[in-house]
Amino acid sequence: MKTICAAAMLSLLLLTGCTSAQDSGVHSRELFAMDTYMSLKAYGAHAEEALGEAAAKINDLEGQLSVTDTGSEIYAANHAGGSAVPISAETAAILQEARRTAAESGNALQISVYPLVRTWGFTTGEYRVPADSELAALCTHVGDARISFDSSTLTVPADMEIDLGALAKGFAGDAAAEIMRRHGVTSAIINLGGNVQAVGTKPDGSKWTVGVRDPFNENQLCGTVHVADKAVVTSGNYERCFTAEDGTKYWHIIDPASGRPADSGLCSVTVIGGSGLRCDALSTALFVEGTERAAAHWRACSDFEMVLVTAEMIYVTEGIAGDFSVGSTLPFEVLRR
Ligand code: FAD
Ligand code: MG
């Protein structure tokens, strides 16, 4: 029997420590966009106008970037029969980040896996386990190197389709955080369904605390990270997943090499860094890469930290270890450069 796993909304629990709107001056917005529940909290005199603008921006970005919205730039590119379509500078920036992450990760991130994601039913909820021959045939249409774009046009070959679901929420988080800062907000926490963006510190000057969910228990945390002015983005095998009749569990992060859910041994990857877009692209790529490749990838870069969770172990990179509190009985190891 198919089982829908834990809701995306509960993937990260925010522990903001704020108690009442009256004494803390907190303003908040909740919205449902990009098929996920989003919650934005901001403090201070300009919070209300910043929240309104940020929510409007997120909705605009959904219209621009959604793979299913017939008015989006991505839909236009996927249905242009291989012709170039106009794109915004924002879409070009996301495509550029996807290209960079693909290059860094040995093509673990491929935005052209979309036909595979759809075939498994992760976009519709009508889950199925495709035959090996079907997957092999679909894999011949995966390969981001065949996509071409510049700052204003995008060409997707006629036999391919792309989806920015692995990294566009990160871009939306950056945009929302930027709006907060532009309005002079120095204390805000933005949660776009597993993509958390901390603006400044809590109003008392202390760091924000962001929970990393226990992949095996939706009501528990396996740890918390303490951050200021950072994105904290998680990809896990406990969201958008199903259990087939034979008891095998399948999830939405696809290994482009096999066309199957990435079976790297990782249950979740949390990436901490300055850019939500970068962290989102990385969280998906590192999940596909698995612990050893992810560690090598981290050692080759200097702009992110990560928490890797397997069934047996939690690995935390040394740059965030001092700001990580273990909340699990799993053994804990610090990865060093
Ligand atoms: P992440 O790990 O960040 O991303 C995983 C997603 O990326 C997968 O679900 C798949 O779509 C894709 N993917 C899987 N493997 C790879 C790979 N190797 N390389 C590249 N990409 C991969 N969902 C709906 O069901 N309906 C909607 O209408 C809808 N609209 C959306 C609109 C926008 C603008 C965006 C950004 C997303 C939308 N989504 C929609 C998707 C939804 O938000 C997903 O939950 C989200 O994209 C997955 O993000 P994540 O953080 O859970 O996982
Ligand atoms: Mg991602």
Side-chain angles (χ1 to χ4, degrees):
M1 192 205 289
K2 292 173 181 176
T3 307
I4 298 174
C5 299
M9 183 57 186
L10 296 176
S11 64
L12 280 183
L13 305 177
L14 282 176
L15 310 175
T16 62
C18 117
T19 49
S20 92
Q22 210 172 17
D23 62 13
S24 61
V26 63
H27 297 252
S28 60
R29 280 282 188 296
E30 310 236 317
L31 64 150
F32 187 81
M34 304 181 182
D35 200 46
T36 195
Y37 288 98
M38 302 184 170
S39 123
L40 294 78
K41 286 185 178 153
Y43 296 77
H46 304 292
E48 205 48 44
E49 63 215 60
L51 286 169
E53 195 180 317
K57 181 67 184 177
I58 290 167
N59 284 322
D60 285 352
L61 285 172
E62 176 170 17
Q64 181 181 321
L65 302 170
S66 163
V67 72
T68 50
D69 186 329
T70 55
S72 82
E73 295 176 9
I74 300 306
Y75 187 95
N78 283 342
H79 295 84
S83 302
V85 301
I87 55 168
S88 61
E90 290 172 319
T91 301
I94 299 170
L95 292 166
Q96 188 59 41
E97 191 66 36
R99 179 179 281 175
R100 168 196 185 181
T101 309
E104 276 182 12
S105 67
N107 291 333
L109 188 89
Q110 292 285 286
I111 56 176
S112 54
V113 293
Y114 179 61
L116 285 156
V117 176
R118 186 176 51 205
T119 295
W120 281 91
F122 294 117
T123 56
T124 58
E126 291 170 18
Y127 302 120
R128 57 187 280 265
V129 181
D132 288 350
S133 57
E134 190 178 357
L135 295 177
L138 286 170
C139 281
T140 65
H141 302 284
V142 175
D144 289 9
R146 294 176 56 215
I147 300 160
S148 56
F149 64 93
D150 58 25
S151 59
S152 59
T153 61
L154 165 64
T155 307
V156 176
D159 67 320
M160 292 173 71
E161 286 180 86
I162 63 164
D163 170 28
L164 303 180
L167 72 169
K169 267 195 293 173
F171 184 87
D174 287 336
E178 165 58 23
I179 288 168
M180 296 293 157
R181 294 186 183 105
R182 184 156 42 75
H183 281 272
V185 172
T186 56
S187 184
I189 190 90
I190 298 160
N191 185 1
L192 310 185
N195 285 44
V196 175
Q197 201 97 18
V199 176
T201 61
K202 286 199 261 182
D204 66 5
S206 63
K207 291 181 176 175
W208 297 101
T209 300
V210 182
V212 178
R213 214 200 88 172
D214 180 338
F216 305 100
N217 186 338
E218 64 178 297
N219 299 313
Q220 281 185 22
L221 301 178
C222 59
T224 52
V225 290
H226 311 284
V227 294
D229 266 322
K230 287 272 190 294
V232 181
V233 178
T234 297
S235 288
N237 68 1
Y238 47 82
E239 285 177 23
R240 291 175 186 257
C241 54
F242 69 98
T243 304
E245 283 176 10
D246 67 356
T248 309
K249 184 178 162 190
Y250 299 97
W251 47 84
H252 67 135
I253 302 174
I254 303 291
D255 183 344
S258 67
R260 301 181 153 276
D263 197 10
S264 65
L266 288 171
C267 300
S268 80
V269 175
T270 298
V271 181
I272 302 103
S275 156
L277 175 62
R278 170 103 169 116
C279 291
D280 200 0
L282 282 168
S283 70
T284 311
L286 296 167
F287 187 101
V288 174
E289 290 183 86
T291 305
E292 285 189 15
R293 278 172 65 194
H297 189 159
W298 168 73
R299 288 190 182 101
C301 302
S302 57
D303 62 343
F304 72 91
E305 301 297 332
M306 62 187 184
V307 178
L308 307 178
V309 182
T310 72
E312 296 87 27
M313 200 77 187
I314 300 176
Y315 300 92
V316 181
T317 54
E318 62 182 347
I320 194 70
D323 280 315
F324 181 78
S325 309
V326 194
S328 157
T329 51
L330 283 176
F332 164 89
E333 183 180 322
V334 177
L335 295 175
R336 305 202 180 274
R337 291 205 182 271

